[in-house]
């Protein structure tokens, strides 16, 4: 038979409720969560990932949602699939940069299985849905038998594949605040062919107050060990009259502040050079989307 | 830990019970049980030759665990061809347009095309290219595959005006 077997052996667990899942995480050692499996199964086949228990959370129907709460915050449950989210009317209207990221991710046959929470928890520096989520000030809810806690997305990642989640914790909810009036955003991703992992990606969101921005968040993928929030660079854009010169200055700062590496997708040199161009384009688009003129 | 467990799936319209280890991918279980129209290319989710419909949606069976699909409905290209009019049309169009050379990518391509047409796909070459972007073909250069799917969309009255 030609098909390759998973190199690791494990017990397969399928809890039906969140309580059951959290109990398993608390009581057993070396449990690996399986959502869509589009990272986990590949890593088990080709990267030597192992576990003693593979816990399939797809039976927990209560985590499959995408909905507004009564305060106007949009909540995405851990099991919401990308192919569902990319068609969600609230995301299309309020979070267009996120919608763009979904459309540029993988192919439909991957997006039919993959979850947004899985994209976060896999903690790749290139994770496409994370970059716009940083711009939107997303807040993550982590649950365990000890209770729940929330973490802003930019504090979630520690290193490639490593997050602040404790071993008994699980990501249950991604919350996106209601965007302010006069806000605008953009997401740009550079790849070799269309459905591919990013060489680099840039997200930007601004809130316009007349001719100035009173808020700015620029985020980048594939330029550091984790998806990155460029806090200092973003601050430079705030409180000044927005002109092509200001945008150029902020873009140059973005490019000067990153320390990317060479890898099989592209070189550090290219990433530094293109970061300036993409930041310029993303800020220009975000500013125009916020109703600003240049 | 690697004991075989019974697994009930509906494959190509028939309820089947297989014995499969918890580690087996859906691709492996299908091929072990003679569904040889489902091809195995890269095994890593890249090439799309293993694409099947799971509950009506195209997925890559090599990165889907078989036990994950317990109780669900799987259709392969061959089963669809005998039972589903749209797939029949796509298969015919592939033959008529010369979209098959070695044929290895074909079953996966047809399932991807079926997903596209089922979900409202129109006669738009750019959209069609996007829809099959998860499927690699080393022979045809894709143009004739796009032609075939385009043809079916036109036959279904989905021209763009
Ligand atoms: C062909 C192909 C192309 C791809 N292209 C892209 C791309 O362009 N851009 C991109 O960003 N990614 C891409 N990916 C990667 C992958 O599809 C995404 O990261 C996806 O969102 C992962 O979701 P999942 O549900 O499949 O996660 P899984 O594989 O099920 O899980 C991923 C990781 O997160 C953990 N996990 C999952 N859910 C939870 C939870 N609720 N709480 C705690 N831990 C959890 C798992 O244990 C695992 O470590 C691609 C993958 C493939 C196979
Ligand atoms: S064999 Fe499944 S995508 Fe290549
Ligand atoms: S016809 Fe040979 S791979 Fe497509």
């Amino acid at each position: 038979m030609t098909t390759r077997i998973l190199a690791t052996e494990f017990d397969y667990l399928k809890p039906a409720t969140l309580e059951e899942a959290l109990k398993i995480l608390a009581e057993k050692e070396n449990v690996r969560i399986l959502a869509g499996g589009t990272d986990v199964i590949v890593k088990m086949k080709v990267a030597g990932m192992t576990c003693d228990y593979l816990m399939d959370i797809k039976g927990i129907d209560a985590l499959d949602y995408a909905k507004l709460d009564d305060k106007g915050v949009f909540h995405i449950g851990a099991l919401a699939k990308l192919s569902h989210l990319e068609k969600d009317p609230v995301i299309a209207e309020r979070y267009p940069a996120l919608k763009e990221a979904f459309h540029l991710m993988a192919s439909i046959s991957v997006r039919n299985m993959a979850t947004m929470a899985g994209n976060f928890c896999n903690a790749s520096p290139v994770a496409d849905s994370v970059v716009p989520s940083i711009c939107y000030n997303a807040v993550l809810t982590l649950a365990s038998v000890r209770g729940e806690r929330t973490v802003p997305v930019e504090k979630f990642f520690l290193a490639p594949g490593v997050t602040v989640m404790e071993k008994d914790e699980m990501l249950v909810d991604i919350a996106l605040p209601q965007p302010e009036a006069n806000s605008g955003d953009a997401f740009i991703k550079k790849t070799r062919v269309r459905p591919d992992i990013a060489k680099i990606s840039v997200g930007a969101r601004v809130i316009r107050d007349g001719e100035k921005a009173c808020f700015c968040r620029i985020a980048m993928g594939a330029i550091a060990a984790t998806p990155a929030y460029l806090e200092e660079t973003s601050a430079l854009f705030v409180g000044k009259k927005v002109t092509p010169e200001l945008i150029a200055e902020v873009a140059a700062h973005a490019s000067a502040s990153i320390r990317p590496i060479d890898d099989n997708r592209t070189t550090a040199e290219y990433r530094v050079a293109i970061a300036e161009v993409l930041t310029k384009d993303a800020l220009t688009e975000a500013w125009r989307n916020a109703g600003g003129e240049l | 830990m690697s004991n075989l467990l019974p697994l009930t799936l509906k494959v190509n319209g028939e309820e089947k019970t297989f014995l499969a280890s918890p580690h087996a991918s859906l691709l492996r279980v299908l091929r072990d049980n003679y569904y040889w129209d489902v091809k195995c290319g890269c095994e890593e989710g890249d090439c799309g030759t293993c694409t099947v419909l799971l509950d009506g949606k195209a997925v890559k069976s090599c990165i889907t665990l078989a036990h994950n699909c317990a109780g669900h409905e799987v259709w392969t290209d061959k089963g669809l061809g005998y039972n589903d009019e749209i797939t029949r049309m796509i298969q015919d169009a592939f033959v008529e347009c010369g979209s098959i050379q070695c044929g290895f990518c074909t079953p996966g391509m047809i399932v991807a095309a079926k997903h596209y047409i089922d979900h409202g796909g129109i006669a738009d070459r750019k959209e069609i290219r996007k829809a099959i972007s998860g499927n690699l073909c080393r022979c045809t250069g894709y143009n004739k595959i796009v032609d075939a799917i385009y043809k079916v969309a036109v036959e279904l009255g989905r021209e763009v005006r």
Side-chain angles (χ1 to χ4, degrees):
Chain A
M1 203 51 50
T2 47
T3 56
R4 195 186 307 165
I5 193 165
L6 295 190
T8 176
E9 300 212 330
F10 46 76
D11 277 349
Y12 180 74
L13 307 172
K14 190 158 186 175
T17 64
L18 179 61
E19 291 64 40
E20 234 182 284
L22 296 179
K23 200 156 162 276
I24 291 170
L25 285 176
E27 288 172 0
K28 295 201 191 304
E29 290 300 315
N30 206 8
V31 182
R32 171 67 59 183
I33 292 174
L34 174 78
T38 63
D39 280 312
V40 173
I41 306 292
V42 176
K43 283 186 173 175
M44 283 183 170
K45 282 188 175 181
V46 303
M49 180 192 263
T50 60
C51 64
D52 291 332
Y53 299 94
L54 189 68
M55 180 169 82
D56 178 4
I57 57 173
K58 278 211 287 296
I60 310 176
D61 292 339
L63 292 180
D64 187 1
Y65 59 81
K67 58 174 191 227
L68 286 169
D69 71 12
D70 48 15
K71 296 195 188 72
V73 177
F74 190 65
H75 292 271
I76 297 171
L79 288 176
K81 296 209 169 84
L82 299 181
S83 60
H84 183 87
L85 296 173
E86 73 193 38
K87 292 200 208 100
D88 188 283
V90 180
I91 293 182
E93 196 200 315
R94 285 183 165 194
Y95 313 107
L98 186 59
K99 181 178 167 175
E100 176 73 3
F102 292 149
H103 276 284
L104 296 173
M105 253 175 104
S107 60
I108 184 68
S109 44
V110 170
R111 299 199 304 273
N112 277 335
M113 294 296 279
T115 61
M116 182 164 170
N119 194 225
F120 278 59
C121 296
N122 185 55
S124 155
V126 304
D128 284 323
S129 68
V130 172
V131 172
S133 299
I134 293 174
C135 300
Y136 292 124
N137 296 63
V139 176
L140 313 183
T141 301
L142 309 181
S144 70
V145 288
R146 298 171 285 127
E148 285 190 348
R149 61 173 173 139
T150 56
V151 183
V153 58
E154 66 273 15
K155 301 260 161 65
F156 183 65
F157 302 98
L158 298 175
V162 186
T163 71
V164 299
M165 266 189 301
E166 301 288 342
K167 77 161 263 298
D168 63 344
E169 281 182 318
M170 192 172 133
L171 172 58
V172 288
D173 182 270
I174 300 168
L176 300 170
Q178 179 162 24
E180 299 70 6
N182 290 337
S183 65
D185 37 43
F187 176 75
I188 305 174
K189 170 177 168 182
K190 280 277 163 252
T191 56
R192 189 175 56 84
V193 291
R194 207 205 74 92
D196 201 359
I197 304 295
K199 292 167 187 276
I200 179 170
S201 61
V202 180
R205 183 165 79 98
V206 299
I207 304 175
R208 187 174 62 85
D209 178 11
E211 295 185 317
K212 297 175 183 171
C214 58
F215 171 97
C216 172
R217 264 192 173 213
I218 302 166
M220 280 191 200
I223 51 95
T226 65
Y229 168 36
L230 276 62
E231 196 169 353
E232 260 180 54
T233 306
S234 305
L236 284 180
F237 194 68
V238 173
K240 297 172 199 147
K241 182 168 189 272
V242 176
T243 58
E245 293 71 34
L246 177 66
I247 290 180
E249 182 194 325
V250 174
H253 187 275
S255 164
S257 65
I258 59 172
R259 299 276 172 276
I261 56 164
D262 292 337
D263 64 19
N264 57 359
R265 289 203 180 80
T266 188
T267 61
E269 191 187 357
Y270 174 83
R271 288 185 163 112
V272 168
I274 200 82
E276 182 166 351
V277 182
L278 296 186
T279 306
K280 206 169 116 201
D281 291 352
L283 275 177
T284 305
E285 193 183 326
W287 180 246
R288 291 214 167 104
N289 287 339
E293 286 175 16
L294 281 172
Chain B
M1 280 170 95
S2 73
N3 46 340
L4 297 175
L5 303 171
L7 164 68
T8 303
L9 298 177
K10 205 165 176 189
V11 187
N12 291 340
E14 282 178 295
E15 190 126 316
K16 294 261 180 167
T17 301
F18 308 113
L19 281 179
S21 90
H23 328 116
S25 66
L26 178 61
L27 172 62
R28 188 177 176 83
V29 170
L30 289 172
R31 286 195 60 88
D32 279 354
N33 291 283
Y34 308 104
Y35 294 95
W36 285 348
D37 54 316
V38 187
K39 302 295 176 205
C40 171
C42 67
E43 276 273 6
E44 302 173 17
D46 274 326
C47 75
T49 60
C50 65
T51 308
V52 298
L53 288 190
L54 175 61
D55 296 337
K57 289 182 178 166
V59 302
K60 294 181 170 180
S61 61
C62 70
I63 52 171
T64 304
L65 282 189
H67 278 279
N68 223 277
C69 309
H72 292 263
E73 188 162 353
V74 176
W75 283 89
T76 74
D77 172 45
K78 190 170 169 186
L80 285 165
Y82 286 124
N83 289 281
D84 173 68
E85 186 50 32
I86 299 272
T87 309
R88 185 80 245 167
M89 288 169 74
I90 300 169
Q91 291 176 342
D92 287 348
F94 267 60
V95 173
E96 286 157 24
C97 297
S99 322
I100 305 166
Q101 286 188 24
C102 79
F104 197 79
C105 69
T106 309
M109 282 289 182
I110 288 175
V111 175
K114 158 82 177 151
H115 178 102
Y116 177 69
I117 296 290
D118 274 0
H119 291 80
I122 54 171
D124 175 325
R125 300 187 70 91
K126 211 169 142 219
E127 289 301 316
I128 294 170
R129 282 184 175 271
K130 255 199 235 171
I132 58 166
S133 64
N135 297 65
L136 301 184
C137 175
R138 295 286 88 145
C139 306
T140 66
Y142 301 101
N143 277 335
K144 292 185 173 181
I145 294 174
V146 176
D147 289 347
I149 303 170
Y150 188 93
K151 180 169 187 278
V152 172
V154 170
E155 283 166 6
L156 292 169
R158 310 240 185 109
E159 288 112 309
V160 202
R161 268 175 263 274

